[in-house]
Amino acid sequence: MHTKYCTRCVYPAIAASALTFDEEGVCSGCRVAMQTVDIDWDARFKFLQGLVAEYRSESNYDILIPVSGGKDSYYQTHVAVRELGLKPLLVTYHGNNYFPEGEVNLRRMREVFDCDHLIVSPSEDVLVRMNRLGFKVQGDMNWHNHCGIFTVPIQLAVRYKVPLMLWGEHGFMDLGGMYSYKDFVEFTAKTRLEHSLRGFDWFDFTDAGLEKLGRPELKEGLQPRDLLWAQYPSDDEIDEVGVRGIYLSNFVRWDANEHVRLVMEQYGWESARQPFERTYRLFSNLDDIHENGVHDYLKYIKIGYGRATDHACKDIRAGRMTRDEGIEMVRKYDHVKPRTDLERWLAYVGMTEPEFDEVCDGFRDPRVWRKEQGEWKKANIWD
Ligand SMILES: [Zn+2]
């Protein structure tokens, strides 16, 4: 069994964000990251100043910022308020499973930035059902999170008539080089549906939707009005306000480690109080207990790598880690079954570990995994 890996970072050819490789065996994610060295960032920031000038308002918010309370949320808001002098509306989808430190960071934003902040928290009972459904239908208990994060801000942009949304990084561009920095890519409903939501939409999780999917045994009694927070606005509603979403990483040089230093120093932002079971980075994903735990373990089950690989790729590209050090992180973390986190999630949704393992095995990618004498095996970067 053989898998191709990028010669510069630690990504395998079969990755969650589609990668291409050039003649030197370097992946598209690395190549796009290298573009940032030659960009005239001063000129880009001036361009951003001109762009937001068209959206300044006398009577309304100037801009809407989708925030989770994480380091990127603080940085986006810092740039909007302190560097661009905008009045933002902060919007959060709250999926019910914040770490305590993540919750503190989230709730402090309206104080430290003197902003209005709308937090949408769906019913806990509906979210538990959505955890079970996301896991069984799609192999991702946090499907509801991806949906809420990429739906609620657009709903509120329409409702409050704030046309400009400011996102942080474009995830698939950052990891896999899905777009070039020359594209100035913006948010689209197509990327939301096809990539963030993996082709599923809210109606697939209602009883009628599961009937249509041919999975009636999974019905959780959800009706359309239980999932109002998940329903993307119509094209007409969006066009009437002229909603568009830009990515800050196209206009300022993105350096996660540097941004963490800034938001800790200036705003008292807190990183994780305890280490994670599946990655070494302490400053990512504090908005969901399971994001770096069971959710990420499922990614490993599906395609053979996890967040330690993602984090190592980011740090190698940023020049903060060598490829060999990255490989050590992958070796240490990617395979770990997160005990504490798994127990918490199983209790949350009322499932046993054997049931969990059985569903997991159904999602293993046959290009990555094979069974040998009852054990699942895959190729590794250090082989
Ligand atoms: Zn690479």
Side-chain angles (χ1 to χ4, degrees):
M1 195 154 39
H2 184 71
T3 304
K4 183 177 175 169
Y5 292 89
C6 174
T7 52
R8 196 163 178 278
C9 69
V10 292
Y11 270 134
I14 297 164
S17 45
L19 295 173
T20 54
F21 291 83
D22 64 16
E23 58 287 345
E24 291 168 46
V26 176
C27 80
S28 42
C30 283
R31 285 299 177 204
V32 167
M34 287 175 207
Q35 293 177 343
T36 59
V37 177
D38 298 322
I39 288 171
D40 179 349
W41 290 106
D42 289 338
R44 290 224 171 184
F45 193 74
K46 287 202 182 86
F47 186 82
L48 176 64
Q49 287 173 315
L51 190 159
V52 301
E54 293 169 35
Y55 290 90
R56 285 186 196 274
S57 170
E58 294 283 307
S59 53
N60 197 2
Y61 303 104
D62 300 317
I63 198 165
L64 183 150
I65 313 179
V67 296
S68 65
K71 65 182 194 308
D72 294 348
S73 305
Y74 270 64
Y75 185 69
Q76 284 153 253
T77 312
H78 164 80
V79 171
V81 173
R82 301 276 191 272
E83 296 186 8
L84 295 168
L86 298 169
K87 180 180 178 63
L89 172 62
L90 307 183
V91 171
T92 299
Y93 168 79
H94 195 299
N96 202 42
N97 281 331
Y98 269 71
F99 279 101
E101 51 272 49
E103 187 85 36
V104 169
N105 289 331
L106 178 72
R107 304 280 167 179
R108 284 180 69 248
M109 291 194 81
R110 68 192 184 94
E111 289 170 37
V112 297
F113 294 110
D114 187 20
C115 289
D116 295 349
H117 188 176
L118 293 173
I119 301 177
V120 173
S121 318
S123 142
E124 177 161 334
D125 178 60
V126 166
L127 287 177
V128 169
R129 288 164 205 253
M130 285 300 285
N131 263 254
R132 279 194 295 261
L133 281 172
F135 173 58
K136 290 176 185 168
V137 172
Q138 210 260 310
D140 181 355
M141 62 280 292
N142 279 353
W143 185 92
H144 71 93
N145 262 339
H146 314 313
C147 181
I149 287 166
F150 295 115
T151 305
V152 164
I154 297 87
Q155 287 180 340
L156 295 182
V158 166
R159 189 169 309 158
Y160 287 90
K161 299 187 168 47
V162 184
L164 188 62
M165 293 187 295
L166 182 66
W167 299 93
E169 276 185 303
H170 188 290
F172 298 100
M173 176 173 162
D174 166 46
L175 297 173
M178 186 175 183
Y179 299 100
S180 156
Y181 280 90
K182 293 169 191 160
D183 295 334
F184 287 90
V185 65
E186 298 194 8
F187 179 86
T188 66
K190 190 168 188 267
T191 304
R192 167 191 175 269
L193 182 61
E194 293 181 5
H195 296 276
S196 307
L197 306 190
R198 314 274 191 264
F200 290 90
D201 213 335
W202 64 271
F203 43 78
D204 291 313
F205 299 91
T206 61
D207 282 0
L210 289 161
E211 198 80 53
K212 260 194 194 157
L213 283 181
R215 307 292 302 275
E217 75 282 5
L218 299 183
K219 282 185 197 173
E220 290 273 1
L222 293 179
Q223 304 304 323
R225 70 174 186 174
D226 295 318
L227 302 173
L228 292 170
W229 51 269
Q231 299 175 18
Y232 200 74
S234 70
D235 287 351
D236 284 346
E237 289 173 302
I238 287 171
D239 288 345
E240 202 187 312
V241 177
V243 178
R244 70 188 281 202
I246 57 172
Y247 292 91
L248 186 55
S249 62
N250 280 319
F251 304 99
V252 299
R253 188 166 188 176
W254 205 263
D255 181 341
N257 290 279
E258 177 55 27
H259 296 175
V260 169
R261 192 192 57 74
L262 183 147
V263 301
M264 281 179 145
E265 271 179 27
Q266 293 201 22
Y267 305 104
W269 185 87
E270 259 190 84
S271 61
R273 292 171 193 164
Q274 289 185 348
F276 293 113
E277 290 170 278
R278 293 187 41 78
T279 187
Y280 63 93
R281 254 196 192 192
L282 292 177
F283 58 65
S284 295
N285 307 108
L286 305 184
D287 57 330
D288 190 280
I289 293 174
H290 304 299
E291 188 68 20
N292 280 341
V294 202
H295 164 269
D296 186 56
Y297 176 69
L298 270 158
K299 178 157 130 179
Y300 174 71
I301 293 294
K302 284 190 269 192
I303 46 175
Y305 73 90
R307 199 142 256 150
T309 291
D310 291 327
H311 290 164
C313 289
K314 285 167 181 267
D315 284 332
I316 291 167
R317 291 171 188 169
R320 290 178 183 265
M321 191 179 263
T322 65
R323 188 169 183 271
D324 283 343
E325 286 165 344
I327 291 172
E328 278 318 300
M329 292 298 115
V330 175
R331 195 170 193 154
K332 183 171 173 193
Y333 289 107
D334 264 5
H335 67 282
V336 173
K337 192 172 186 181
R339 300 306 325 171
T340 321
D341 190 69
L342 178 59
E343 276 162 33
R344 194 266 177 198
W345 187 76
L346 291 173
Y348 183 56
V349 299
M351 198 179 287
T352 65
E353 191 168 341
E355 283 176 87
F356 173 83
D357 287 337
E358 196 188 328
V359 175
C360 279
D361 285 344
F363 285 105
R364 287 184 193 264
D365 190 321
R367 293 171 303 170
V368 174
W369 294 99
R370 64 176 170 193
K371 210 165 194 177
E372 273 176 17
Q373 286 140 10
E375 276 196 47
W376 289 103
K377 301 265 187 194
K378 69 182 245 349
N380 290 300
I381 191 167
W382 55 86
D383 286 342

